[in-house]
């Protein structure tokens, strides 16, 4: 599958074009990259089926980008990109991942100091060469160093939502082999952790040698670390490591439990077995005479140990074993239970699709309502809406609601920008006319913790703000959260009846699991949104559900599992 590779190259194009100061085009490349990476089928087959014209139907893909995608599929490269790379030979991808380092900065650093790689950049910082350049200073040098440290910590792990398509295609590939009985990805992937280190797949087969031969011939395999009949380890072209283990049917459940982890959960499970005088390992549960008493299924292992079966998302040794012993595990929110998506951007601002396109797709997916939340005026880079445009959009949505009556309801909303002082950039009078208001921070990420916290609290105190979108502002592997006292935010959400969002976009997942758990404990209501900037992004709603499950959330904790009427009635801060 070349989807991720193409998305990567399109992003590189965007970076180089931005470096050259070319207007609009970089955004188009970005959007196209978004589309290709969230396309749920193989790009090669997709192009074979629909051709160039079909490609152009994807958000962000115009004539010239479509041609480049086809060129890459044919020749394995994009000529224009190769030329750009020759002209400015820097590791633009890595360098631009550093917070505060954009393409223009990269160009300046290359010209002035010949910096090409992350190592070059780090060295130049440590030798204080950066602060001497015009337009830079000691502060920017320190900021870059901090960014490098953050990048180094995170970059070895993959964002779950971005690798699901390739893992699923591998699993489907394996399932096609006649000698393979069962195939299940275990590990952090099964626990739906927000990032994964590697993928651990389990299979049952009577013919493991053949299966391993077949596994290493998966077209995306780039390197084989080790190959044996029970365990084979490879690296895929995207850099992700995958282990495949073939096990016996009678110990499949034990292996699944063991390799699903987490390690800390396993240790607790094993201690529970030891207390009974038994032994638990990846082959089974054995009594004191060494007789296997369970192993074929996970369920029977949990049952024999006196536990409820524990959903993989909870297996983090966060008290789940005690709850399972007392048969008090929460009934987690179920996949597919979101009835309305409340954060959607359209081509009125930085989204790729029109409102109608977003509506049509939502109808196809069976959503009962969606809320249009374009950015507002102070976020100028997105073309944020001012009061006048918002009113215009509201009227337009009223019209659309007549057209789509009986099929879906479109709510009028906005993603209002919280300004530096905590005030909003849209007047209360206009906010009062909206059905649902989300407020969010998009600027001034570096305020001191108490100032940042007060800034958000001030927004929550506004009677028109229903929800705080992506409350901590992090972008996984790219940007750390801003400093904020999350406990205080959660308490204040309770006091002010403000909803907190679980933004389900793969590299946001914000709130994160541990914050969700705190909200559940304190009775703070949440919603799960896709933060769609294209109709392809609705698929991420289930990733948000996964995150909510990891935070022990039930259906009633997540307000947009409610049908529209109940949702509107239950909005904690309604001003009807
Ligand atoms: P990752 O890959 O870093 O995202 O996280 P995991 O949880 O997939 O960890 P990984 O791939 O190292 O191992 C897969 C599972 O195997 C892990 O969740 C639990 C189990 N496991 C690995 N090493 C140990 C160990 O030393 N003791 C126990 N009890 N279990 C282990
Ligand atoms: Ca793993
Ligand atoms: Ca592993
Ligand atoms: Zn946006």
């Amino acid at each position: 599958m070349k989807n991720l590779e193409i998305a990567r190259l399109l992003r590189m194009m965007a970076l180089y074009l931005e470096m050259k100061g070319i207007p609009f085009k970089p955004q188009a490349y970005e959007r196209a990259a978004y589309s290709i990476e969230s396309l749920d089928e193989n790009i090669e087959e997709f192009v074979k089926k629909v051709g160039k014209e079909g490609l152009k139907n994807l958000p962000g893909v115009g004539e010239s980008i479509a041609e480049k995608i086809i060129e890459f599929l044919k020749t394995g490269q994009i000529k224009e990109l190769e030329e750009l790379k020759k002209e400015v030979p820097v590791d633009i991808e890595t360098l631009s991942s550093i917070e505060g380092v954009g393409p223009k900065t990269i160009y300046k650093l290359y010209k002035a100091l010949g910096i090409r790689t992350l190592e070059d950049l780090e060295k130049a910082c440590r030798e204080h060469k950066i602060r001497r350049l015009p337009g830079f200073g000691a502060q920017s040098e320190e900021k870059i160093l901090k960014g490098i440290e953050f990048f180094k910590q995170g970059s070895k792990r993959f964002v779950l939502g971005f690798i699901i398509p390739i893992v699923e295609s591998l699993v489907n590939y394996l399932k096609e082999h006649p000698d393979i009985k069962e195939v299940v990805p275990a590990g952090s992937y099964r626990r739906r952790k927000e990032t994964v280190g590697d993928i651990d797949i389990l299979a049952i087969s009577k013919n493991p040698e053949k299966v391993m031969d077949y596994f290493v011939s998966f077209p995306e395999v780039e390197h084989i670390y080790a190959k044996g009949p029970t365990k084979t380890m490879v690296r895929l072209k995207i850099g992700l490591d995958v282990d495949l283990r073939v096990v016996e049917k009678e110990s499949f459940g034990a292996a699944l439990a063991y390799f699903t982890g987490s390690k800390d959960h396993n240790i607790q499970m094993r201690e529970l077995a030891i207390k009974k005088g038994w032994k638990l390992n990846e082959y089974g549960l054995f009594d004191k005479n060494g007789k296997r008493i369970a192993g074929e299924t996970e369920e029977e292992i949990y049952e024999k140990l006196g536990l409820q079966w524990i959903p993989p998302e909870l297996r983090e040794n966060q008290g789940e074993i005690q709850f399972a012993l007392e048969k008090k595990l929460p009934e987690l929110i179920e996949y597919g239970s979101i009835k309305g998506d409340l954060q959607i951007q359209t081509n009125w601002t930085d989204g790729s699709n029109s409102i109608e396109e977003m509506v049509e797709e939502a109808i196809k997916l069976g959503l009962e309502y969606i809320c249009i939340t374009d950015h507002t005026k102070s976020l100028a880079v997105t073309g944020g809406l001012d009061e006048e445009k918002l009113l215009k959009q509201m009227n337009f949505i009223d019209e659309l609601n007549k057209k789509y009556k009986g099929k879906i309801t479109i709510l009028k909303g906005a993603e209002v920008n919280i300004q530096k002082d905590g005030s909003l950039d849209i007047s209360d009078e206009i906010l009062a006319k909206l059905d649902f208001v989300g407020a969010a921070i998009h600027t001034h990420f570096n305020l001191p913790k108490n100032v940042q916290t007060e800034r958000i609290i001030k927004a929550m105190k506004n009677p028109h703000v229903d929800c705080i979108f992506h409350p901590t502002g992090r972008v996984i592997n790219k940007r750390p959260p801003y400093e904020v006292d999350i406990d205080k935010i959660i308490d204040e959400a309770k006091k002010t009846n403000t909803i907190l969002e679980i933004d389900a976009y793969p590299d946001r997942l914000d709130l994160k699991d541990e914050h969700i758990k705190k909200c559940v404990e304190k009775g703070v209501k949440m919603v799960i949104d896709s933060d769609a900037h294209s109709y392809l992004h609705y698929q991420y709603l289930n990733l948000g559900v996964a995150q909510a499950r990891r935070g022990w959330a039930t259906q009633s904790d997540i307000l947009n599992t409610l049908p529209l009427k109940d949702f509107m009635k239950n909005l904690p801060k309604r001003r009807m």
Side-chain angles (χ1 to χ4, degrees):
M1 227 158 108
K2 303 219 161 74
N3 302 37
L4 289 184
E5 212 176 334
I6 291 177
R8 211 184 118 198
L9 297 180
L10 295 176
R11 285 224 164 81
M12 278 168 85
M13 282 294 299
L15 291 168
Y16 271 114
L17 295 172
E18 202 180 325
M19 180 185 272
K20 300 202 129 186
I22 294 169
F24 306 117
K25 271 193 176 180
Q27 287 83 346
Y29 274 92
E30 264 293 322
R31 275 207 290 272
Y34 257 145
S35 299
I36 305 295
E37 104 195 327
S38 42
L39 189 68
D40 52 5
E41 65 183 299
N42 191 325
I43 181 82
E44 282 164 284
E45 278 153 32
F46 182 75
V47 170
K48 258 185 227 151
K49 213 167 53 194
V50 302
K52 187 162 90 181
E53 290 310 305
L55 260 181
K56 281 159 70 180
N57 286 332
L58 291 177
V61 181
E63 178 73 20
S64 115
I65 296 182
E67 273 168 8
K68 290 201 171 56
I69 293 171
I70 291 169
E71 179 194 349
F72 176 78
L73 291 175
K74 274 197 191 129
T75 67
Q77 62 172 26
I78 297 171
K79 211 161 143 237
E80 189 179 337
L81 178 61
E82 294 306 315
E83 278 159 13
L84 288 164
K85 279 201 245 174
K86 241 182 255 159
E87 203 180 311
V88 187
V90 295
D91 181 0
I92 196 166
E93 232 183 336
T94 310
L95 290 173
S96 66
S97 311
I98 307 302
E99 166 80 348
V101 180
K104 296 237 168 77
T105 306
I106 294 172
Y107 187 66
K108 277 190 215 151
L109 294 173
Y110 170 69
K111 278 280 163 203
L113 301 169
I115 289 172
R116 294 174 176 224
T117 64
L118 186 64
E119 289 72 48
D120 294 347
L121 180 62
E122 189 169 2
K123 194 155 164 272
C125 286
R126 300 220 183 273
E127 290 169 359
H128 298 316
K129 285 186 178 155
I130 309 266
R131 64 177 67 185
R132 283 183 238 133
L133 296 178
F136 294 82
Q139 236 188 344
S140 40
E141 195 175 79
E142 271 155 36
K143 201 176 151 213
I144 292 175
L145 263 181
K146 254 188 160 173
I148 293 175
E149 268 158 42
F150 179 77
F151 176 81
K152 282 186 167 170
Q153 285 164 20
S155 57
K156 292 205 169 56
R157 300 184 63 82
F158 287 76
V159 172
L160 175 68
F162 294 146
I163 52 106
I164 286 176
I166 195 160
V167 175
E168 279 183 354
S169 78
L170 171 58
V171 167
N172 291 332
Y173 168 88
L174 291 171
K175 279 183 179 159
E176 278 167 21
H177 196 280
D179 286 326
I180 296 187
K181 272 231 134 93
E182 185 92 55
V183 190
V184 181
S188 51
Y189 183 86
R190 182 166 179 239
R191 301 199 311 279
R192 304 270 99 170
K193 205 170 152 166
E194 59 193 34
T195 61
V196 298
D198 71 353
I199 305 294
D200 312 274
I201 302 181
L202 294 179
I204 302 176
S205 175
K206 286 233 156 64
N207 209 338
E209 271 98 357
K210 267 197 183 163
V211 165
M212 293 309 190
D213 287 341
Y214 179 69
F215 172 52
V216 299
S217 357
F218 181 59
E220 293 307 304
V221 170
E222 177 184 70
H223 176 72
I224 303 167
Y225 295 105
K227 183 162 170 273
T230 55
K231 185 180 177 191
T232 292
M233 298 160 70
V234 303
R235 183 177 66 232
L236 303 183
K237 287 174 190 160
I238 58 163
L240 178 65
D241 291 343
V242 183
D243 303 346
L244 175 64
R245 288 183 178 80
V246 173
V247 301
E248 304 278 333
K249 183 163 182 277
E250 57 183 6
S251 56
F252 183 76
L256 184 58
Y258 182 87
F259 290 108
T260 295
S262 66
K263 193 171 152 187
D264 291 341
H265 173 89
N266 289 355
I267 291 168
Q268 296 300 315
M269 292 282 284
R270 203 162 49 210
E271 283 189 357
L272 213 57
I274 290 168
K275 267 193 210 146
K276 293 184 189 280
W278 299 342
K279 198 174 113 186
L280 175 66
N281 58 30
E282 63 263 52
Y283 303 103
L285 180 62
F286 303 90
D287 72 9
K288 58 180 185 298
N289 303 315
K291 187 172 157 263
R292 183 197 304 268
I293 48 180
E296 194 172 329
T297 68
E298 261 189 350
E299 283 79 1
E300 63 179 10
I301 294 172
Y302 280 95
E303 196 198 315
K304 285 271 160 45
L305 289 172
L307 299 168
Q308 277 176 291
W309 179 79
I310 302 177
E313 297 91 332
L314 295 186
R315 299 185 197 171
E316 297 290 351
N317 192 28
Q318 295 293 321
E320 71 279 7
I321 294 186
Q322 192 56 37
F323 274 75
L325 270 173
E326 294 168 15
K327 314 271 193 265
K328 279 186 188 155
L329 281 178
E331 255 186 62
L332 299 182
I333 174 177
E334 284 181 32
Y335 290 101
S337 60
I338 299 299
K339 295 202 166 61
D341 193 345
L342 301 161
Q343 197 201 144
I344 291 170
Q345 281 73 212
T346 72
N347 62 5
W348 284 61
T349 57
D350 66 345
S352 304
N353 292 109
S354 65
I355 301 180
E356 292 99 312
E357 285 165 334
M358 294 308 290
V359 169
E360 299 275 351
E361 183 69 10
I363 293 172
K364 267 193 223 155
L365 296 173
L367 291 174
E368 195 190 321
Y369 49 99
I370 59 172
C371 183
I372 304 299
T373 56
D374 276 300
H375 292 285
T376 50
K377 64 185 175 193
S378 64
L379 204 57
V381 284
T382 66
L385 308 182
D386 58 16
E387 277 89 351
E388 195 185 326
K389 281 197 188 138
L390 260 177
L391 281 172
K392 209 169 133 201
Q393 189 184 63
M394 285 184 230
N395 286 332
F396 183 58
I397 291 175
D398 285 337
E399 288 307 307
L400 286 181
N401 270 325
K402 285 180 206 152
K403 176 172 162 197
Y404 290 106
K405 200 170 162 60
K407 289 188 178 150
I408 195 167
T409 301
I410 310 155
L411 300 177
K412 293 170 276 190
E415 178 174 6
V416 183
N417 214 16
I418 303 175
Q419 316 215 69
K420 190 175 175 197
D421 66 356
S423 65
L424 304 175
D425 67 344
I426 296 293
S427 72
D428 281 358
E429 188 200 337
I430 301 292
L431 293 181
K433 296 186 199 290
L434 293 168
D435 297 313
F436 182 81
V437 175
I441 287 195
H442 296 103
T443 56
H444 301 97
F445 294 119
N446 290 326
L447 300 179
K449 188 169 181 173
N450 61 332
V451 178
Q452 195 70 284
T453 306
E454 286 310 316
R455 178 184 178 194
I456 298 172
I457 289 174
K458 186 167 168 194
M460 289 198 282
K461 283 185 175 155
N462 183 310
H464 305 296
V465 170
D466 295 292
C467 181
I468 299 295
F469 284 167
H470 44 74
T472 77
R474 70 161 179 180
V475 180
I476 301 172
N477 287 354
K478 288 198 191 118
R479 186 172 79 205
Y482 37 74
E483 288 199 46
V484 65
D485 185 340
I486 191 74
D487 293 308
K488 219 168 162 186
I489 295 289
I490 291 171
D491 286 342
E492 205 66 31
K494 181 78 190 169
K495 267 193 232 156
T496 57
N497 282 319
T498 310
I499 302 166
L500 296 182
E501 181 188 52
I502 301 170
D503 184 315
Y505 199 79
D507 59 8
R508 280 203 181 260
L509 290 176
D510 181 5
L511 301 172
K512 61 180 183 174
D513 45 14
E514 64 205 60
H515 303 149
I516 296 168
K517 198 165 184 213
K518 284 181 178 168
C519 288
V520 169
E521 282 160 10
K522 298 222 158 139
V524 169
K525 298 295 180 195
M526 293 165 278
V527 292
I528 294 174
D529 300 333
S530 70
D531 196 354
H533 282 68
S534 134
Y535 68 81
L536 294 163
H537 296 157
Y538 287 125
Q539 62 176 308
Y540 296 134
L541 286 172
N542 268 334
L543 204 60
V545 173
Q547 186 81 342
R549 288 168 66 87
R550 286 180 58 82
W552 294 55
T554 64
Q555 188 111 345
S556 65
D557 296 309
I558 309 294
L559 284 180
N560 53 340
T561 56
L562 292 170
L564 179 63
K565 239 172 77 195
D566 299 331
F567 172 75
M568 291 309 284
K569 255 200 317 235
N570 280 283
L571 276 181
K573 238 192 226 176
R574 266 301 90 177
R575 63 261 166 188
M576 315 221 67

